[in-house]
Amino acid sequence: MTDLTRDAIQTRLQACTSKETTFKELVSLSKQLERLTDADKTEENKVKGCESAVWLIEHQDNGVCTFQADSDAKLMRGVLVAILSLANGRTKTELQAMDLATELSQFNLSSYLTSSRTNGILGILKQIQT
Amino acid sequence: MAFDANTLRAQFPILQLEANDHPLVYLDNAATTQKPQAVLDALMAYYTTSNANVHRGAHYLSDRATAQFEHARDRVARFINAADSDHVIWTKGTTESINLVAYGLEWCLKPDDEILITSLEHHANLVPWQQLAFRTGARLRVLPLTSKGEWEPEYERYFNEHTRIFACTQISNAIGVKTPIKEMLAAAKAVKAFTLVDGAQAVAHYPVDVQDLDCDFYVFSGHKMYAPTGIGVLYGKPHALEVLTPVQTGGEMVRHVTYNSTEFNVLPYRLEAGTPNIEGVIGMTAACDFLANQDRTAMIEWEQKLARYVYDELKFNTSIEIYSPAVDTTVVSLSVPGIHTLDLNGYLDSQGVAVRAGSHCAHPLMAQLGVSSTLRASFACYNTLSEARRFCDVLLEAIEILGDD
Ligand SMILES: Cc1ncc(COP(=O)(O)O)c(C=O)c1O
């Protein structure tokens, strides 16, 4: 969970004009992520296929989903802030109707997303939708 | 022959590139090396003057292609000092070479036999043997080598009358340490095991003499020694190649075929089914020539000097742990406790510095080191001291940026 809206995050990342500025912005965004407790970082909550360790927990309240996520890598935590801003507060049906990868690509993270097959971001998006 | 990395660099067009708005600093050479102009030219010349299938119909181009193809076999045989070019089998790389042996020797394994590897292997020299053990009921045993490549005499007991196959890397890809290969080969031969040496990390740096090593099989990849991707070598002593069951069958590897039987061709063709990677093979000639044209002693001294520079710059930094040896290596593998190697890698990349963060296809070795991944800078002949310095500077910047909480 973060206090930043999707628009605010998108604006910050879109202002980045180089890999270096994107890197620094992701590091800064990573600080917004509410970290999971060690007790929540279970094998079961782990998203498979990620290069760094990523944990994802889903809560539902009247059909509305809230996700919590964490990673042992900072850049990934920054990306998770962006992903959670897309996903939180929606129903499963809404999430399934979304093209999350395309939406995420609007955050100017293309160089992180091109390697998404290996870094597991697609796996995170899929888990959010199922 | 004077060795000068700056002059040599000019032969590698890709090194002129910028990466993420910075001059490219390519220090991921243990993964793959860049290619000199001579290799690029050889590929272009092949397609513009000689392209045809080899060992097939006699026509002008086919003769040219076949001559160059077989010349490459001679060239590589000389490069590794094989006694005869028939001992050189073309494969697509180290991984395929090891698999050819692991499947080809399946017939000789039974339950209670042992396959011995070491704790410093790349997955390519581990998984094929593990799977072979699963298929045959043989045991996979792992000789523990320390991360310094040390081997204690009592480990000789790992070599016993059950040991059928001993497979070992010459140099660890993950941490760059040399293994005591000759002592281990001697122990393996004393128990009459088949021996395979994974030379993937050695060929670009050290002159290789397979007769001096006296192993049954020696395997490597072209792409790690300035040649194209998709070409590799399985060297074998004749008696060892002779007993390999061909894993792949089809055209080229046969002499006579009926619906009821097939007479296989002689070596080396028996183990080379189908149309080979002709351009890759021809690229190997150019890569061997490129290396032979260098002062190899000065070259390896230079590469080791770069690794040593990085080691010395970082060794007193209390936030850094180095897993590579101080000397006699071209690799510096390290971690910064508390900071993910992928994050360090992300910053280095943003500054144009290409290294590798990860487990380097060696999960068991990472477990032995007590880390999940390391950051590896690996040097080649065209790297410069200012690149080594830049790696250190950018790494320290990364630690500062990433280490603030
Ligand atoms: C020691 C070692 N063995 C085997 C391999 C596998 O080589 P290839 O992927 O070219 O088959 C590598 C490549 O990283 C290596 O470093």
Side-chain angles (χ1 to χ4, degrees):
Chain A
M1 284 290 283
T2 82
D3 298 333
L4 287 171
T5 64
R6 171 203 173 138
D7 285 347
I9 295 166
Q10 204 162 315
T11 308
R12 278 168 69 166
L13 283 167
Q14 277 173 348
C16 299
T17 53
S18 67
K19 189 122 191 191
E20 176 176 350
T21 46
T22 306
F23 175 91
K24 289 184 171 158
E25 194 54 61
L26 282 174
V27 168
S28 152
L29 279 176
S30 74
K31 294 174 183 152
Q32 304 288 327
L33 191 73
E34 188 188 311
R35 307 293 303 267
L36 291 178
T37 61
D38 283 347
D40 279 334
K41 293 183 190 168
T42 61
E43 215 33 57
E44 193 170 294
N45 290 334
K46 219 169 179 172
V47 183
K48 292 203 174 41
C50 293
E51 240 183 329
S52 52
V54 174
W55 299 268
L56 183 70
I57 302 179
E58 177 178 332
H59 309 278
Q60 286 202 16
D61 187 9
N62 277 330
V64 176
C65 300
T66 311
F67 297 92
Q68 284 180 287
D70 201 352
S71 168
D72 58 351
K74 252 186 202 174
L75 289 178
M76 183 54 100
R77 292 205 291 275
V79 174
L80 288 174
V81 169
I83 292 176
L84 295 193
S85 79
L86 278 177
N88 277 339
R90 298 183 194 269
T91 65
K92 265 291 154 182
T93 323
E94 284 175 328
L95 287 169
Q96 282 160 0
M98 287 167 76
D99 181 351
L100 287 174
T102 305
E103 303 242 5
L104 191 61
S105 67
Q106 290 159 4
F107 286 78
N108 191 21
L109 290 174
S110 57
S111 63
Y112 292 90
L113 296 174
T114 44
S115 52
S116 56
R117 250 179 0 138
T118 48
N119 66 19
I121 288 176
L122 289 184
I124 301 172
L125 300 182
K126 202 165 160 199
Q127 196 161 321
I128 282 174
Q129 289 177 314
T130 43
Chain B
M1 279 185 293
F3 177 82
D4 176 32
N6 278 307
T7 316
L8 204 63
R9 262 182 102 69
Q11 297 183 36
F12 291 80
I14 204 170
L15 299 176
Q16 309 305 317
L17 286 184
E18 294 215 326
N20 296 322
D21 312 318
H22 295 275
L24 171 68
V25 174
Y26 187 78
L27 304 180
D28 193 18
N29 295 289
T32 200
T33 57
Q34 299 303 342
K35 318 305 171 198
Q37 189 64 49
V39 169
L40 305 178
D41 289 346
L43 299 185
M44 190 54 112
Y46 166 65
Y47 282 115
T48 48
T49 69
S50 314
N51 176 49
N53 211 327
V54 291
H55 308 303
R56 293 216 177 143
H59 58 74
Y60 176 78
L61 286 179
S62 177
D63 287 348
R64 280 178 72 104
T66 304
Q68 289 173 32
F69 184 81
E70 288 307 326
H71 171 68
R73 210 186 291 274
D74 291 340
R75 186 67 194 86
V76 166
R78 248 190 308 135
F79 182 71
I80 58 174
N81 196 33
D84 193 297
S85 58
D86 288 353
H87 306 171
V88 171
I89 311 293
W90 300 120
T91 66
K92 69 184 166 75
T94 309
T95 304
E96 187 178 47
S97 299
I98 295 171
N99 275 284
L100 284 181
V101 177
Y103 280 95
L105 288 179
E106 188 167 326
W107 62 269
C108 81
L109 285 172
K110 52 185 190 324
D112 220 31
D113 285 344
E114 293 180 2
I115 305 165
L116 183 61
I117 61 172
T118 80
S119 60
L120 296 181
E121 304 308 322
H122 186 283
H123 292 161
N125 200 28
L126 186 171
V127 183
W129 303 119
Q130 177 196 63
Q131 298 299 312
L132 174 62
F134 290 161
R135 291 196 302 276
T136 58
R139 271 190 303 276
L140 179 70
R141 300 199 69 195
V142 183
L143 175 67
L145 290 178
T146 69
S147 57
K148 295 192 171 61
E150 286 157 350
W151 176 44
E152 324 238 335
E154 77 232 41
Y155 291 148
E156 268 192 53
R157 66 188 162 80
Y158 280 86
F159 300 89
N160 59 50
E161 73 276 15
H162 300 288
T163 315
R164 285 286 158 276
I165 299 171
F166 171 63
C168 178
T169 191
Q170 209 171 352
I171 299 176
S172 152
N173 66 304
I175 56 177
V177 72
K178 284 182 183 168
T179 58
I181 194 73
K182 283 204 151 175
E183 291 94 315
M184 291 190 294
L185 286 173
K189 267 177 289 191
V191 297
K192 300 198 168 55
F194 281 106
T195 54
L196 178 143
V197 175
D198 176 353
Q201 291 297 333
V203 279
H205 304 290
Y206 303 93
V208 170
D209 184 335
V210 290
Q211 293 187 76
D212 178 55
L213 277 174
D214 197 26
C215 48
D216 293 315
F217 302 104
Y218 189 90
V219 298
F220 57 99
S221 301
H223 70 92
K224 292 184 198 285
M225 51 165 281
Y226 309 104
T229 44
I231 186 67
V233 168
L234 164 61
Y235 156 84
K237 287 185 185 173
H239 79 270
L241 291 175
E242 217 50 80
V243 299
L244 290 183
T245 310
V247 177
Q248 297 200 43
T249 52
E252 302 288 320
M253 55 83 67
V254 295
R255 245 197 198 139
H256 186 70
V257 178
T258 70
Y259 285 120
N260 296 321
S261 68
T262 294
E263 187 191 340
F264 292 148
N265 205 338
V266 293
L267 289 170
Y269 313 112
R270 189 167 66 82
L271 295 170
E272 294 176 350
T275 297
N277 176 0
I278 307 168
E279 64 166 278
V281 165
I282 286 168
M284 282 295 265
T285 301
C288 291
D289 288 344
F290 166 78
L291 278 164
N293 283 336
Q294 313 304 325
D295 177 340
R296 297 293 299 276
T297 308
M299 191 174 113
I300 185 59
E301 277 172 5
W302 175 253
E303 293 168 341
Q304 292 184 346
K305 182 179 159 171
L306 298 175
R308 182 61 198 251
Y309 173 86
V310 170
Y311 185 94
D312 284 342
E313 281 296 295
L314 304 179
K315 69 180 172 192
F316 293 124
N317 189 313
T318 49
S319 52
I320 298 175
E321 289 214 32
I322 302 181
Y323 305 101
S324 299
V327 294
D328 208 18
T329 183
T330 60
V331 168
V332 184
S333 201
L334 57 84
S335 76
V336 179
I339 303 182
H340 204 289
T341 54
L342 288 173
D343 291 336
L344 295 170
N345 186 71
Y347 187 70
L348 284 152
D349 178 40
S350 80
Q351 303 298 308
V353 182
V355 294
R356 178 81 184 275
S359 58
H360 316 291
C361 297
H363 292 157
L365 173 58
M366 292 296 118
Q368 179 182 328
L369 297 174
V371 291
S372 61
S373 66
T374 72
L375 189 80
R376 179 188 69 187
S378 52
F379 293 92
C381 61
Y382 41 64
N383 289 125
T384 64
L385 204 50
S386 65
E387 289 182 312
R389 205 171 287 137
R390 173 117 178 102
F391 167 71
C392 295
D393 291 348
V394 177
L395 176 67
L396 296 178
E397 272 170 42
I399 294 173
E400 194 153 316
I401 295 171
L402 289 159
D404 64 347
D405 62 21

mmCIF file of all heavy atoms in Angstrom, chain A residues 21-51:
data_model
loop_
_atom_site.group_PDB
_atom_site.id
_atom_site.type_symbol
_atom_site.label_atom_id
_atom_site.label_comp_id
_atom_site.label_asym_id
_atom_site.label_seq_id
_atom_site.Cartn_x
_atom_site.Cartn_y
_atom_site.Cartn_z
ATOM 1 N N THR A 21 18.102 8.228 -14.339
ATOM 2 C CA THR A 21 17.046 8.922 -13.588
ATOM 3 C C THR A 21 15.915 7.959 -13.242
ATOM 4 O O THR A 21 15.345 8.044 -12.155
ATOM 5 C CB THR A 21 16.521 10.158 -14.356
ATOM 6 O OG1 THR A 21 16.294 9.787 -15.716
ATOM 7 C CG2 THR A 21 17.501 11.297 -14.299
ATOM 8 N N THR A 22 15.624 7.032 -14.125
ATOM 9 C CA THR A 22 14.605 6.027 -13.808
ATOM 10 C C THR A 22 15.050 5.190 -12.611
ATOM 11 O O THR A 22 14.259 4.915 -11.699
ATOM 12 C CB THR A 22 14.367 5.094 -15.012
ATOM 13 O OG1 THR A 22 14.057 5.891 -16.148
ATOM 14 C CG2 THR A 22 13.216 4.142 -14.752
ATOM 15 N N PHE A 23 16.323 4.810 -12.631
ATOM 16 C CA PHE A 23 16.865 4.034 -11.512
ATOM 17 C C PHE A 23 16.647 4.776 -10.194
ATOM 18 O O PHE A 23 16.141 4.232 -9.222
ATOM 19 C CB PHE A 23 18.368 3.784 -11.746
ATOM 20 C CG PHE A 23 19.062 3.107 -10.604
ATOM 21 C CD1 PHE A 23 19.154 1.725 -10.551
ATOM 22 C CD2 PHE A 23 19.618 3.851 -9.570
ATOM 23 C CE1 PHE A 23 19.786 1.093 -9.484
ATOM 24 C CE2 PHE A 23 20.242 3.227 -8.499
ATOM 25 C CZ PHE A 23 20.324 1.854 -8.463
ATOM 26 N N LYS A 24 17.017 6.060 -10.201
ATOM 27 C CA LYS A 24 16.933 6.820 -8.945
ATOM 28 C C LYS A 24 15.485 7.016 -8.515
ATOM 29 O O LYS A 24 15.170 6.985 -7.330
ATOM 30 C CB LYS A 24 17.658 8.150 -9.098
ATOM 31 C CG LYS A 24 19.168 7.922 -9.161
ATOM 32 C CD LYS A 24 19.982 9.184 -9.206
ATOM 33 C CE LYS A 24 21.463 8.834 -9.041
ATOM 34 N NZ LYS A 24 22.368 9.861 -9.569
ATOM 35 N N GLU A 25 14.599 7.196 -9.491
ATOM 36 C CA GLU A 25 13.187 7.370 -9.175
ATOM 37 C C GLU A 25 12.613 6.071 -8.572
ATOM 38 O O GLU A 25 11.844 6.118 -7.614
ATOM 39 C CB GLU A 25 12.423 7.769 -10.445
ATOM 40 C CG GLU A 25 11.035 8.303 -10.201
ATOM 41 C CD GLU A 25 10.996 9.469 -9.215
ATOM 42 O OE1 GLU A 25 11.618 10.505 -9.504
ATOM 43 O OE2 GLU A 25 10.357 9.340 -8.155
ATOM 44 N N LEU A 26 13.017 4.948 -9.143
ATOM 45 C CA LEU A 26 12.524 3.670 -8.607
ATOM 46 C C LEU A 26 13.034 3.451 -7.175
ATOM 47 O O LEU A 26 12.302 2.969 -6.316
ATOM 48 C CB LEU A 26 12.941 2.502 -9.510
ATOM 49 C CG LEU A 26 12.115 2.311 -10.781
ATOM 50 C CD1 LEU A 26 12.716 1.219 -11.651
ATOM 51 C CD2 LEU A 26 10.659 1.963 -10.456
ATOM 52 N N VAL A 27 14.276 3.831 -6.949
ATOM 53 C CA VAL A 27 14.819 3.702 -5.591
ATOM 54 C C VAL A 27 14.016 4.590 -4.644
ATOM 55 O O VAL A 27 13.641 4.178 -3.535
ATOM 56 C CB VAL A 27 16.314 4.095 -5.562
ATOM 57 C CG1 VAL A 27 16.804 4.255 -4.126
ATOM 58 C CG2 VAL A 27 17.150 3.043 -6.286
ATOM 59 N N SER A 28 13.690 5.780 -5.107
ATOM 60 C CA SER A 28 12.927 6.685 -4.266
ATOM 61 C C SER A 28 11.492 6.162 -4.051
ATOM 62 O O SER A 28 10.973 6.189 -2.939
ATOM 63 C CB SER A 28 12.985 8.077 -4.912
ATOM 64 O OG SER A 28 11.869 8.818 -4.604
ATOM 65 N N LEU A 29 10.891 5.656 -5.106
ATOM 66 C CA LEU A 29 9.541 5.079 -4.972
ATOM 67 C C LEU A 29 9.533 3.877 -4.035
ATOM 68 O O LEU A 29 8.558 3.638 -3.324
ATOM 69 C CB LEU A 29 9.021 4.636 -6.346
ATOM 70 C CG LEU A 29 8.421 5.697 -7.263
ATOM 71 C CD1 LEU A 29 8.068 5.066 -8.607
ATOM 72 C CD2 LEU A 29 7.182 6.324 -6.627
ATOM 73 N N SER A 30 10.631 3.133 -4.062
ATOM 74 C CA SER A 30 10.675 1.909 -3.260
ATOM 75 C C SER A 30 10.431 2.216 -1.783
ATOM 76 O O SER A 30 9.944 1.379 -1.040
ATOM 77 C CB SER A 30 12.015 1.196 -3.451
ATOM 78 O OG SER A 30 13.038 1.892 -2.765
ATOM 79 N N LYS A 31 10.773 3.435 -1.390
ATOM 80 C CA LYS A 31 10.614 3.800 0.031
ATOM 81 C C LYS A 31 9.157 3.964 0.410
ATOM 82 O O LYS A 31 8.818 4.016 1.592
ATOM 83 C CB LYS A 31 11.401 5.081 0.317
ATOM 84 C CG LYS A 31 12.879 4.800 0.147
ATOM 85 C CD LYS A 31 13.769 5.997 0.246
ATOM 86 C CE LYS A 31 15.191 5.530 -0.033
ATOM 87 N NZ LYS A 31 16.052 6.518 -0.588
ATOM 88 N N GLN A 32 8.278 4.071 -0.586
ATOM 89 C CA GLN A 32 6.848 4.209 -0.317
ATOM 90 C C GLN A 32 6.186 2.870 -0.015
ATOM 91 O O GLN A 32 5.039 2.836 0.409
ATOM 92 C CB GLN A 32 6.140 4.807 -1.551
ATOM 93 C CG GLN A 32 6.696 6.122 -2.015
ATOM 94 C CD GLN A 32 6.330 7.243 -1.062
ATOM 95 O OE1 GLN A 32 5.270 7.229 -0.468
ATOM 96 N NE2 GLN A 32 7.234 8.203 -0.913
ATOM 97 N N LEU A 33 6.886 1.806 -0.303
ATOM 98 C CA LEU A 33 6.239 0.504 -0.158
ATOM 99 C C LEU A 33 6.156 0.108 1.315
ATOM 100 O O LEU A 33 7.158 0.131 2.020
ATOM 101 C CB LEU A 33 7.027 -0.558 -0.941
ATOM 102 C CG LEU A 33 6.313 -1.894 -1.093
ATOM 103 C CD1 LEU A 33 5.161 -1.779 -2.087
ATOM 104 C CD2 LEU A 33 7.289 -2.971 -1.566
ATOM 105 N N GLU A 34 4.970 -0.264 1.715
ATOM 106 C CA GLU A 34 4.806 -0.775 3.067
ATOM 107 C C GLU A 34 5.362 -2.192 3.089
ATOM 108 O O GLU A 34 4.862 -3.060 2.383
ATOM 109 C CB GLU A 34 3.319 -0.763 3.420
ATOM 110 C CG GLU A 34 3.031 -1.087 4.863
ATOM 111 C CD GLU A 34 1.527 -1.250 5.068
ATOM 112 O OE1 GLU A 34 0.766 -0.365 4.619
ATOM 113 O OE2 GLU A 34 1.128 -2.270 5.648
ATOM 114 N N ARG A 35 6.401 -2.403 3.894
ATOM 115 C CA ARG A 35 7.077 -3.698 3.861
ATOM 116 C C ARG A 35 6.254 -4.773 4.553
ATOM 117 O O ARG A 35 5.494 -4.502 5.475
ATOM 118 C CB ARG A 35 8.457 -3.595 4.553
ATOM 119 C CG ARG A 35 9.358 -2.489 4.028
ATOM 120 C CD ARG A 35 9.810 -2.716 2.605
ATOM 121 N NE ARG A 35 10.505 -3.968 2.390
ATOM 122 C CZ ARG A 35 11.832 -4.120 2.448
ATOM 123 N NH1 ARG A 35 12.601 -3.091 2.721
ATOM 124 N NH2 ARG A 35 12.385 -5.299 2.218
ATOM 125 N N LEU A 36 6.441 -5.992 4.109
ATOM 126 C CA LEU A 36 5.792 -7.122 4.762
ATOM 127 C C LEU A 36 6.612 -7.544 5.974
ATOM 128 O O LEU A 36 7.823 -7.325 6.018
ATOM 129 C CB LEU A 36 5.695 -8.301 3.790
ATOM 130 C CG LEU A 36 4.749 -8.160 2.610
ATOM 131 C CD1 LEU A 36 4.824 -9.410 1.735
ATOM 132 C CD2 LEU A 36 3.328 -7.943 3.090
ATOM 133 N N THR A 37 5.942 -8.146 6.922
ATOM 134 C CA THR A 37 6.679 -8.708 8.055
ATOM 135 C C THR A 37 7.315 -10.016 7.604
ATOM 136 O O THR A 37 6.877 -10.630 6.624
ATOM 137 C CB THR A 37 5.723 -9.015 9.223
ATOM 138 O OG1 THR A 37 4.775 -9.981 8.753
ATOM 139 C CG2 THR A 37 5.007 -7.765 9.680
ATOM 140 N N ASP A 38 8.321 -10.434 8.339
ATOM 141 C CA ASP A 38 8.974 -11.702 7.990
ATOM 142 C C ASP A 38 7.970 -12.844 8.010
ATOM 143 O O ASP A 38 8.064 -13.776 7.213
ATOM 144 C CB ASP A 38 10.124 -11.987 8.966
ATOM 145 C CG ASP A 38 11.341 -11.121 8.620
ATOM 146 O OD1 ASP A 38 11.337 -10.532 7.513
ATOM 147 O OD2 ASP A 38 12.256 -11.023 9.446
ATOM 148 N N ALA A 39 6.994 -12.739 8.913
ATOM 149 C CA ALA A 39 5.998 -13.811 9.022
ATOM 150 C C ALA A 39 5.179 -13.949 7.740
ATOM 151 O O ALA A 39 4.694 -15.031 7.409
ATOM 152 C CB ALA A 39 5.079 -13.538 10.203
ATOM 153 N N ASP A 40 5.026 -12.832 7.023
ATOM 154 C CA ASP A 40 4.249 -12.881 5.772
ATOM 155 C C ASP A 40 5.080 -13.339 4.577
ATOM 156 O O ASP A 40 4.541 -13.651 3.518
ATOM 157 C CB ASP A 40 3.667 -11.501 5.464
ATOM 158 C CG ASP A 40 2.400 -11.233 6.270
ATOM 159 O OD1 ASP A 40 1.736 -12.230 6.633
ATOM 160 O OD2 ASP A 40 2.110 -10.060 6.539
ATOM 161 N N LYS A 41 6.396 -13.326 4.751
ATOM 162 C CA LYS A 41 7.251 -13.711 3.617
ATOM 163 C C LYS A 41 7.395 -15.229 3.583
ATOM 164 O O LYS A 41 8.488 -15.770 3.754
ATOM 165 C CB LYS A 41 8.620 -13.038 3.744
ATOM 166 C CG LYS A 41 8.538 -11.522 3.584
ATOM 167 C CD LYS A 41 9.928 -10.916 3.650
ATOM 168 C CE LYS A 41 9.883 -9.414 3.740
ATOM 169 N NZ LYS A 41 11.203 -8.848 4.080
ATOM 170 N N THR A 42 6.293 -15.878 3.352
ATOM 171 C CA THR A 42 6.314 -17.335 3.337
ATOM 172 C C THR A 42 6.565 -17.844 1.923
ATOM 173 O O THR A 42 6.430 -17.110 0.942
ATOM 174 C CB THR A 42 4.961 -17.889 3.807
ATOM 175 O OG1 THR A 42 3.962 -17.410 2.891
ATOM 176 C CG2 THR A 42 4.631 -17.432 5.208
ATOM 177 N N GLU A 43 6.917 -19.089 1.854
ATOM 178 C CA GLU A 43 7.128 -19.751 0.559
ATOM 179 C C GLU A 43 5.830 -19.674 -0.261
ATOM 180 O O GLU A 43 5.852 -19.452 -1.467
ATOM 181 C CB GLU A 43 7.510 -21.206 0.844
ATOM 182 C CG GLU A 43 8.500 -21.877 -0.080
ATOM 183 C CD GLU A 43 9.575 -20.990 -0.684
ATOM 184 O OE1 GLU A 43 10.360 -20.327 0.037
ATOM 185 O OE2 GLU A 43 9.623 -20.976 -1.934
ATOM 186 N N GLU A 44 4.703 -19.807 0.450
ATOM 187 C CA GLU A 44 3.405 -19.800 -0.220
ATOM 188 C C GLU A 44 3.101 -18.444 -0.855
ATOM 189 O O GLU A 44 2.503 -18.371 -1.931
ATOM 190 C CB GLU A 44 2.338 -20.139 0.824
ATOM 191 C CG GLU A 44 0.985 -20.484 0.255
ATOM 192 C CD GLU A 44 0.111 -21.040 1.361
ATOM 193 O OE1 GLU A 44 0.440 -22.128 1.870
ATOM 194 O OE2 GLU A 44 -0.853 -20.355 1.728
ATOM 195 N N ASN A 45 3.521 -17.375 -0.186
ATOM 196 C CA ASN A 45 3.248 -16.033 -0.713
ATOM 197 C C ASN A 45 4.245 -15.594 -1.781
ATOM 198 O O ASN A 45 4.132 -14.515 -2.349
ATOM 199 C CB ASN A 45 3.249 -15.005 0.423
ATOM 200 C CG ASN A 45 2.052 -15.177 1.340
ATOM 201 O OD1 ASN A 45 1.021 -15.682 0.901
ATOM 202 N ND2 ASN A 45 2.186 -14.787 2.600
ATOM 203 N N LYS A 46 5.241 -16.414 -2.027
ATOM 204 C CA LYS A 46 6.294 -16.052 -2.969
ATOM 205 C C LYS A 46 5.794 -16.215 -4.401
ATOM 206 O O LYS A 46 5.136 -17.203 -4.734
ATOM 207 C CB LYS A 46 7.490 -16.980 -2.748
ATOM 208 C CG LYS A 46 8.819 -16.283 -2.857
ATOM 209 C CD LYS A 46 9.910 -17.216 -2.358
ATOM 210 C CE LYS A 46 11.263 -16.549 -2.488
ATOM 211 N NZ LYS A 46 12.301 -17.339 -1.843
ATOM 212 N N VAL A 47 6.100 -15.240 -5.238
ATOM 213 C CA VAL A 47 5.743 -15.351 -6.658
ATOM 214 C C VAL A 47 6.849 -16.128 -7.350
ATOM 215 O O VAL A 47 8.025 -15.773 -7.243
ATOM 216 C CB VAL A 47 5.588 -13.962 -7.307
ATOM 217 C CG1 VAL A 47 5.157 -14.096 -8.757
ATOM 218 C CG2 VAL A 47 4.590 -13.119 -6.533
ATOM 219 N N LYS A 48 6.471 -17.192 -8.046
ATOM 220 C CA LYS A 48 7.498 -18.039 -8.666
ATOM 221 C C LYS A 48 8.066 -17.391 -9.922
ATOM 222 O O LYS A 48 7.380 -16.649 -10.618
ATOM 223 C CB LYS A 48 6.899 -19.393 -9.014
ATOM 224 C CG LYS A 48 6.571 -20.141 -7.749
ATOM 225 C CD LYS A 48 6.495 -21.629 -7.916
ATOM 226 C CE LYS A 48 6.298 -22.260 -6.558
ATOM 227 N NZ LYS A 48 5.339 -21.530 -5.681
ATOM 228 N N GLY A 49 9.325 -17.680 -10.184
ATOM 229 C CA GLY A 49 9.924 -17.249 -11.443
ATOM 230 C C GLY A 49 10.501 -15.851 -11.426
ATOM 231 O O GLY A 49 10.891 -15.327 -12.458
ATOM 232 N N CYS A 50 10.548 -15.223 -10.265
ATOM 233 C CA CYS A 50 11.137 -13.880 -10.197
ATOM 234 C C CYS A 50 12.633 -14.002 -9.913
ATOM 235 O O CYS A 50 13.059 -14.868 -9.155
ATOM 236 C CB CYS A 50 10.486 -13.060 -9.104
ATOM 237 S SG CYS A 50 8.779 -12.668 -9.453
ATOM 238 N N GLU A 51 13.387 -13.103 -10.509
ATOM 239 C CA GLU A 51 14.831 -13.116 -10.302
ATOM 240 C C GLU A 51 15.168 -12.745 -8.864
ATOM 241 O O GLU A 51 16.016 -13.348 -8.240
ATOM 242 C CB GLU A 51 15.459 -12.101 -11.250
ATOM 243 C CG GLU A 51 16.433 -12.702 -12.220
ATOM 244 C CD GLU A 51 17.064 -11.642 -13.084
ATOM 245 O OE1 GLU A 51 16.405 -10.625 -13.367
ATOM 246 O OE2 GLU A 51 18.208 -11.838 -13.476
#
